[in-house]
Amino acid sequence: MGDLITEFVDKKIVKALENFLECNNEDDAKKACIQIAGIFGGDKEFKKISESKSEEEKKLVESFNKNLILLIQKTWVEKSDEALKAQVLYQLEEFSKQFDAQFYTISYSLFFSILDDVVYLMFGNQSKAKDFLDYALRIDPEFGIFWWYVSSLPRESDWEDTKCRIAILLGMYFLANY
């Protein structure tokens, strides 16, 4: 994966993600995520969003919710996956409550559970394959880069609230604009 991602992403962005994963303070986490947001076309906009609970963040969360609900509802699934679809919509509602209440460490793992399920609904068993990232990069580089970001993050973490918040916001940023 390391070599393939550099065909799509500048090495400075790869380093920014490494820095984000290793950093222990809020300023370094924000700086790294703002740099990563550049590959999603919005480093300046994301900087405003990341600063504090703001009107920009509220708009981002609303747009994220609307887009993800629409994506989930519009994704055609096998009859056997209808229950998962309903479960993901419920989880999204719960996630939104937790995130809005600023329980970022609690909402962090739920966010990734939702993303994993949504990607499964979109791609089926292929999303569970070892080479899914390579597949995603080749069929839709923009989504593949997003999935590289998401799959690089730990699903469970002992990060501070502020680092969890910024990690979630960056994932939301991509999905709100996808």
Side-chain angles (χ1 to χ4, degrees):
M1 175 193 64
D3 293 333
L4 182 59
I5 194 63
T6 57
E7 290 179 28
F8 298 91
V9 175
D10 190 281
K11 288 181 182 179
K12 290 186 288 189
I13 301 299
V14 173
K15 184 66 177 161
L17 181 57
E18 290 170 5
N19 290 342
F20 175 75
L21 293 171
E22 295 168 5
C23 75
N24 291 317
N25 73 59
E26 182 179 355
D27 289 338
D28 289 344
K30 283 182 182 179
K31 183 179 175 184
C33 279
I34 290 166
Q35 190 173 5
I36 296 165
I39 61 175
F40 301 143
D43 50 340
K44 289 178 179 61
E45 186 178 358
F46 188 76
K47 183 176 183 187
K48 290 178 195 172
I49 292 165
S50 71
E51 290 304 318
S52 65
K53 194 108 172 114
S54 63
E55 192 60 33
E56 287 88 358
E57 180 180 324
K58 183 179 176 186
K59 288 178 187 174
L60 171 68
V61 172
E62 288 173 7
S63 181
F64 162 78
N65 279 322
K66 287 178 186 174
N67 281 2
L68 206 56
I69 288 169
L70 189 62
L71 180 65
I72 294 164
Q73 290 175 339
K74 297 293 182 188
T75 300
W76 181 88
V77 296
E78 297 289 337
K79 190 80 169 155
S80 59
D81 288 330
E82 286 294 331
L84 178 59
K85 201 173 184 179
Q87 176 188 327
V88 173
L89 288 168
Y90 173 77
Q91 286 177 320
L92 182 58
E93 188 177 315
E94 289 302 305
F95 164 78
S96 296
K97 290 176 189 173
Q98 297 293 332
F99 192 83
D100 198 43
Q102 299 181 12
F103 297 137
Y104 303 122
T105 53
I106 294 170
S107 57
Y108 179 88
S109 61
L110 186 53
F111 180 71
F112 290 103
S113 175
I114 291 166
L115 291 183
D116 288 339
D117 287 343
V118 168
V119 170
Y120 173 79
L121 290 172
M122 291 171 62
F123 294 97
N125 288 331
Q126 178 68 35
S127 68
K128 307 272 188 225
K130 204 170 67 174
D131 65 345
F132 178 68
L133 177 58
D134 294 352
Y135 173 78
L137 282 166
R138 293 187 194 294
I139 64 161
D140 182 350
E142 188 178 18
F143 176 80
I145 292 167
F146 164 74
W147 196 247
W148 162 75
Y149 166 73
V150 168
S151 62
S152 297
L153 299 175
R155 291 304 192 252
E156 301 289 328
S157 81
D158 58 355
W159 292 343
E160 297 291 324
D161 258 1
T162 54
K163 189 170 179 178
C164 289
R165 175 184 168 268
I166 198 78
I168 293 168
L169 285 173
L170 186 54
M172 284 180 163
Y173 184 79
F174 173 82
L175 291 168
N177 296 297
Y178 186 61

